[in-house]
Amino acid sequence: MEFFNDIVGGENPLKPSLFELIAQEQLRDLLQPALKYVLSVFAQRYPRYLLRIVNRHEEFYALIMLFVERHYLRQHNASFSENFYGLKRRRRPLFETERAKAAVGGIFPEENLRRREVWCSLLLLVGLPYIRAKAQDYFEDLGGGIDSDLIDDAGGRQIRALTEETWRGRWRRLYKKLYPWLNMGFEHWLLIYNVAYLFEKTPYYRPWLSWIGVDLRRLGIDDYRAESLAAQRSSATTPPKSPFDTLRHIFRNSPRFLLDSLKLLLPTTIFFIKFLEWWYSPSSPARSLTLSSSPLGPSIPPPALLRPHPQGLKLDGRKYGKCPICGEGIKNATALPSGYVFCYRCAYEEVEKSGRCPVTLLPARVWQLRKVLV
């Protein structure tokens, strides 16, 4: 996202806009449901290996993001989504020296994140979303957000009887009442900081950034120059002297290479998933090509209509759209198991009285009636 660096706004062109910050947060929030969807699809095929991971998805995702975010914070001074949008975290100085920095150039070593800032950022990037997700799951397990009319009276009385007397039941009822208000207050708190950041009343768009003493900046030309120099130094290492050194070099650098390549793999994977979603959609023009060349052959045609019984109701093929029983236009079209369509009232009365289709005289039941949506 280097094009954001060309946006000059206000006195400091490296200060990101609120829209960039919200965009990187949305990207971070979309990673977990996307990973959960992919795991759920593969778990249907390999339930023995992946079903437990899907059931403990929050813990699995938090563990993965702990390694990913730790790598990006240590190597790039930014989280994964922040680095993807061309942002970085900076230890905020006591006094802003933008003019002096512009005159001297380069990156001040004091701006790099220390061990304390890295672990505090990890706690807020991984721990806080995990706690909020578990709190939401617990609220839903208690029946939060579900209309009481959707639960039958017997089930509701049983739940109230189990949770009315014990201290655990009282805590559950209290949590169920307080959680929506606490969650709403938390969201309003974040909204207030967003508005204050938008009108430049605070340099932090999130309150916890001020607690750990960091703010977010756009990557400047000095940052890209430093990254290119670091890449040149890593590529200019002495060649390995033996195959053992080669394997050790590969195993040492492969995790770092994999984590750094996520910036490229993520948009490629999203494009590939959207392409497959379009390719296999019913309205896709490419679906006709796959059906014509499918090894399973063309699609199966619908079965032929059953012949009328000689003693059954006579049909006139010229009266299309007319009910064979009442002879009028079909109202609330309903199909019988034999495939013939009648008015719902006519079909219901006929099947309830005789227990068979009036045309084919085949057995039919009331619960076998199917409404036809035209």
Side-chain angles (χ1 to χ4, degrees):
M1 298 297 173
E2 291 85 352
F3 58 85
F4 280 129
N5 297 326
D6 299 331
I7 303 176
V8 179
E11 299 180 355
N12 185 8
L14 296 181
K15 181 181 178 181
S17 66
L18 180 62
F19 305 103
E20 299 171 58
L21 300 175
I22 293 178
Q24 65 89 16
E25 277 204 346
Q26 289 178 345
L27 172 62
R28 187 177 61 203
D29 295 339
L30 288 174
L31 293 178
Q32 182 174 1
L35 179 61
K36 186 175 182 180
Y37 174 76
V38 173
L39 287 175
S40 301
V41 172
F42 282 100
Q44 295 178 3
R45 190 166 185 176
Y46 307 101
R48 181 179 178 182
Y49 306 101
L50 298 178
L51 190 59
R52 294 183 179 179
I53 298 179
V54 174
N55 293 335
R56 309 291 296 180
H57 172 72
E58 287 80 7
E59 289 77 8
F60 177 72
Y61 177 77
L63 184 62
I64 290 179
M65 293 308 296
L66 181 64
F67 289 101
V68 173
E69 300 290 14
R70 180 175 177 270
H71 169 78
Y72 274 87
L73 286 170
R74 295 180 62 183
Q75 299 296 327
H76 306 284
N77 290 326
S79 66
F80 170 73
S81 58
E82 291 165 359
N83 184 259
F84 182 82
Y85 275 90
L87 304 175
K88 71 171 185 177
R89 296 192 172 209
R90 179 194 67 161
R91 287 178 58 202
R92 184 170 176 84
L94 296 177
F95 304 99
E96 291 289 345
T97 56
E98 297 295 337
R99 294 183 179 179
K101 182 178 177 181
V104 175
I107 303 175
F108 292 166
E110 295 79 8
E111 293 184 356
N112 295 328
L113 299 181
R114 297 175 301 182
R115 184 182 180 89
R116 172 185 172 275
E117 285 82 11
V118 169
W119 285 103
C120 289
S121 299
L122 281 175
L123 178 63
L124 295 169
L125 288 171
V126 180
L128 183 61
Y130 172 75
I131 293 174
R132 295 194 65 188
K134 298 302 289 185
Q136 178 67 26
D137 291 343
Y138 184 63
F139 176 70
E140 293 178 357
D141 290 341
L142 297 179
I146 302 177
D147 191 359
S148 59
D149 295 337
L150 300 179
I151 305 177
D152 59 339
D153 294 337
R157 287 194 300 268
Q158 184 178 5
I159 293 174
R160 287 191 294 270
L162 291 175
T163 61
E164 188 171 359
E165 297 299 334
T166 63
W167 64 270
R168 185 177 298 178
R170 290 191 291 269
W171 155 252
R172 290 178 178 179
R173 291 198 306 273
L174 180 63
Y175 180 85
K176 187 176 178 181
K177 292 180 180 179
L178 292 182
Y179 176 78
W181 294 98
L182 295 176
N183 189 48
M184 183 180 63
F186 184 79
E187 294 293 340
H188 279 81
W189 187 35
L190 300 184
L191 178 62
I192 291 172
Y193 262 83
N194 285 342
V195 175
Y197 181 86
L198 182 63
F199 289 97
E200 299 184 353
K201 300 299 182 182
T202 176
Y204 311 101
Y205 88 106
R206 286 291 178 260
W208 45 80
L209 293 178
S210 62
W211 302 345
I212 59 179
V214 298
D215 60 359
L216 272 72
R217 317 295 283 178
R218 294 194 186 109
L219 293 177
I221 186 64
D222 296 328
D223 298 291
Y224 291 110
R225 186 181 294 115
E227 287 188 3
S228 63
L229 290 176
Q232 291 176 4
R233 284 194 222 99
S234 62
S235 61
T237 55
T238 57
K241 299 179 180 180
S242 64
F244 179 75
D245 294 336
T246 304
L247 292 176
R248 185 173 59 182
H249 178 75
I250 292 175
F251 283 111
R252 181 184 300 173
N253 295 330
S254 56
R256 181 181 303 176
F257 175 76
L258 178 62
L259 292 173
D260 286 333
S261 61
L262 286 177
K263 294 186 294 185
L264 200 59
L265 291 175
L266 179 64
T268 306
T269 305
I270 293 176
F271 171 78
F272 183 69
I273 292 176
K274 299 302 290 184
F275 174 77
L276 290 179
E277 183 180 355
W278 167 81
W279 183 265
Y280 289 105
S281 63
S283 60
S284 172
R287 190 168 180 81
S288 59
L289 300 177
T290 59
L291 290 176
S292 61
S293 59
S294 174
L296 300 178
S299 57
I300 301 175
L305 196 65
L306 297 177
R307 294 182 179 181
H309 195 275
Q311 300 179 0
L313 191 65
K314 305 299 180 182
L315 295 178
D316 189 354
R318 295 172 298 179
K319 295 182 179 180
Y320 181 78
K322 302 290 186 179
C323 177
I325 298 178
C326 63
E328 301 179 356
I330 296 178
K331 300 176 182 179
N332 199 0
T334 302
L336 268 67
S338 59
Y340 291 93
V341 180
F342 310 88
C343 298
Y344 177 78
R345 185 173 181 178
C346 299
Y348 185 88
E349 293 178 352
E350 183 67 27
V351 171
E352 189 180 26
K353 179 177 63 175
S354 61
R356 57 185 181 178
C357 173
V359 177
T360 61
L361 301 184
L362 293 175
R365 298 293 181 267
V366 172
W367 59 268
Q368 293 177 325
L369 301 177
R370 293 293 182 268
K371 298 289 185 68
V372 179
L373 302 178
V374 182

